[in-house]
Amino acid sequence: MTVKTLKIGNKSIGPGYPVFFIAEAGVNHNGSLKIALKMVDAAKRAGADAIKFQTFKTNNLILPNAPKSKYHIETTGTDKKQTWFDLLKTQELSADYHYKIIQHCKKKRIIFLSTPYDKESVDMLEKLKVKAYKIASTDNNNLPLLRYIAKKGKPMFISTAMTNIQEIEDTVNCVKQYVPNKFVLMQCTGNYPSKASDSNLKVMLTYKRKFKCLYGYSDHTLDYINPIAATAMGASIYEKHFTLDKKMRGPDHRMSLLPHELEKTIKMIRETTSALGINEKNVLKTEKHNRLRLKKSLVSKNFIKKGEKFKMEMFGIKRPATGLPPKELYNISKFIASKNVKANSTLKSNMIRKVKK
């Protein structure tokens, strides 16, 4: 089975195409439309292909008394006056806000994406005609939601943090019934921020081999090695959180990139792609000048008279590469000089004639 390519808007995704970069705005807008629109502008300036938000109804997402995770406590405190439920309510985006953000994305020519966390949010995104769906790691084993989204028939980018390979098999078996060639598995580590040593980028190759699908990486690290490494390993999609200000209140700002860091990351990915080049090995145009001057030819050690039979000991190997290549030394005894050859001459094809049998 050949790994297929996808198309989102005017962007093709897959082998042979540039890495599709998703700038993850997430909830770093803090519920502000003004900040969300500024984030669209920043993502576009940085060179991202898409900007991704999160779409949810807090009542459908979490119990009112659900405990905060460790990183939420670290970033937002233990204030009992603001529960995790309360915090999420401040980060919801209304349908009207979604519409305005999408219109701004169209104006700026950057693709709008979002992660729905419940069926009601999926329905809203469908009405807004989103082109693809991103699945959060928190829902990669939520088969009822996955099935509901997959039935829409649109591409799905599925993060795979906090999950074992058996659960990923369940995920793949679920979505491929409806989008057999329209899903991308994205390696991810469910820690915020996560260490580079916990990235396990090789898992992407397991996905490629086992599921014959496109693969990518959703990055929660603060380092710059993963954009290069993942690109070199053939990732089709790369996702990274960003913020306008790491000091803003909220759970994800501390592990997000600032706009200039986002731009640096995307630039590194593009440069890595450029460095990877193509599969064929040929002499590059930029090498031709040096090839002629740095490689070597057969060179006569002494004067050789016309008609004299060549012997290996008559020749050395020196620069430049304007004559016969060194490998011809092994065949040289089959030839005689077709003209006088001066000492220290590069041996050329018009100087030799094959010995008659």
Side-chain angles (χ1 to χ4, degrees):
M1 178 180 173
T2 303
V3 175
K4 303 292 184 181
T5 58
L6 298 175
K7 194 155 188 178
I8 310 294
N10 64 344
K11 299 286 184 177
S12 294
I13 302 172
Y17 293 101
V19 174
F20 184 80
F21 192 96
I22 301 173
E24 165 71 274
V27 294
N28 283 344
H29 49 74
N30 287 358
S32 164
L33 176 62
K34 182 178 179 180
I35 293 175
L37 297 180
K38 285 183 177 180
M39 294 188 79
V40 171
D41 295 341
K44 177 63 179 181
R45 282 195 301 269
D49 297 296
I51 182 169
K52 189 189 78 65
F53 293 86
Q54 295 179 8
T55 305
F56 57 87
K57 299 292 183 182
T58 306
N59 289 327
N60 299 334
L61 178 59
I62 190 171
L63 291 173
N65 61 348
K68 286 185 177 181
S69 66
K70 181 181 177 182
Y71 85 95
H72 276 94
I73 293 173
E74 291 172 349
T75 54
T76 63
T78 57
D79 184 2
K80 294 183 179 179
K81 292 181 180 179
Q82 188 190 53
T83 64
W84 195 353
F85 183 95
D86 296 332
L87 174 63
L88 287 171
K89 285 292 288 184
T90 68
Q91 297 169 333
E92 279 188 26
L93 291 174
S94 66
D96 180 57
Y97 277 14
H98 274 77
Y99 175 79
K100 289 176 179 177
I101 293 170
I102 289 171
Q103 292 306 306
H104 194 61
C105 285
K106 289 179 179 178
K107 180 181 176 181
K108 294 295 179 176
R109 296 186 179 180
I110 186 171
I111 295 170
F112 171 90
L113 295 173
S114 191
T115 297
Y117 285 83
D118 55 82
K119 292 181 179 180
E120 186 178 348
S121 296
V122 175
D123 293 341
M124 183 174 77
L125 290 173
E126 275 295 295
K127 289 179 181 177
L128 293 168
K129 299 181 179 180
V130 294
K131 294 178 171 62
Y133 287 98
K134 170 69 197 307
I135 308 301
S137 291
T138 55
D139 284 311
N140 58 32
N141 65 342
N142 185 349
L143 300 188
L145 181 62
L146 289 175
R147 183 173 289 108
Y148 191 76
I149 295 172
K151 284 182 176 180
K152 308 303 179 187
K154 296 178 179 178
M156 298 173 67
F157 309 145
I158 306 169
S159 282
T160 59
M162 304 173 290
T163 313
N164 60 46
I165 194 65
Q166 288 76 30
E167 290 172 313
I168 298 302
E169 285 186 25
D170 291 341
T171 297
V172 170
N173 289 336
C174 173
V175 302
K176 74 177 184 181
Q177 296 178 58
Y178 308 99
V179 285
N181 297 307
K182 287 186 179 181
F183 67 92
V184 182
L185 293 180
M186 300 182 66
Q187 168 60 357
C188 183
T189 302
N191 196 15
Y192 312 89
S194 60
K195 296 178 181 178
S197 58
D198 286 334
S199 300
N200 291 330
L201 294 175
K202 287 184 178 180
V203 170
M204 295 189 299
L205 302 183
T206 298
Y207 293 160
K208 177 184 179 182
R209 182 183 67 254
K210 188 175 181 65
F211 301 115
K212 306 295 188 296
C213 66
L214 298 179
Y215 56 91
Y217 185 67
S218 183
D219 190 2
H220 293 149
T221 69
L222 298 175
D223 302 305
Y224 285 102
I225 188 64
N226 283 351
I228 296 173
T231 302
M233 294 176 69
S236 293
I237 297 180
Y238 202 92
E239 178 184 56
K240 191 74 179 75
H241 284 257
F242 81 105
T243 181
L244 299 182
D245 185 353
K246 293 187 180 185
K247 294 181 181 179
M248 282 197 292
R249 181 174 174 81
D252 295 335
H253 295 288
R254 73 170 184 178
M255 61 91 173
S256 301
L257 300 177
L258 290 171
H260 74 274
E261 295 172 321
L262 181 69
E263 184 176 4
K264 178 180 177 180
T265 300
I266 296 172
K267 184 178 179 182
M268 292 172 77
I269 286 176
R270 303 305 181 216
E271 289 178 347
T272 301
T273 299
S274 178
L276 289 172
I278 59 176
N279 293 329
E280 294 108 8
K281 178 59 179 172
N282 293 307
V283 178
L284 301 176
K285 289 181 180 179
T286 56
E287 294 180 312
K288 288 182 178 180
H289 177 86
N290 284 340
R291 174 185 169 90
L292 197 63
R293 288 155 180 79
L294 299 180
K295 285 187 175 288
K296 299 173 181 177
S297 305
L298 292 183
V299 177
S300 56
K301 291 181 179 178
N302 301 294
F303 175 78
I304 302 172
K305 187 177 179 180
K306 179 180 178 180
E308 190 172 352
K309 187 176 181 183
F310 291 138
K311 297 178 182 178
M312 291 179 70
E313 56 266 27
M314 292 179 175
F315 299 95
I317 298 172
K318 298 181 182 180
R319 293 171 178 167
T322 54
L324 297 178
K327 69 175 184 178
E328 295 302 329
L329 184 64
Y330 297 112
N331 299 314
I332 204 66
S333 60
K334 299 176 182 178
F335 297 89
I336 61 173
S338 61
K339 60 172 67 176
N340 290 337
V341 179
K342 295 180 181 179
N344 262 340
S345 296
T346 54
L347 190 65
K348 299 182 179 180
S349 57
N350 65 348
M351 297 177 178
I352 68 174
R353 187 169 72 242
K354 201 162 189 178
V355 177
K356 294 181 180 180
K357 293 184 179 180

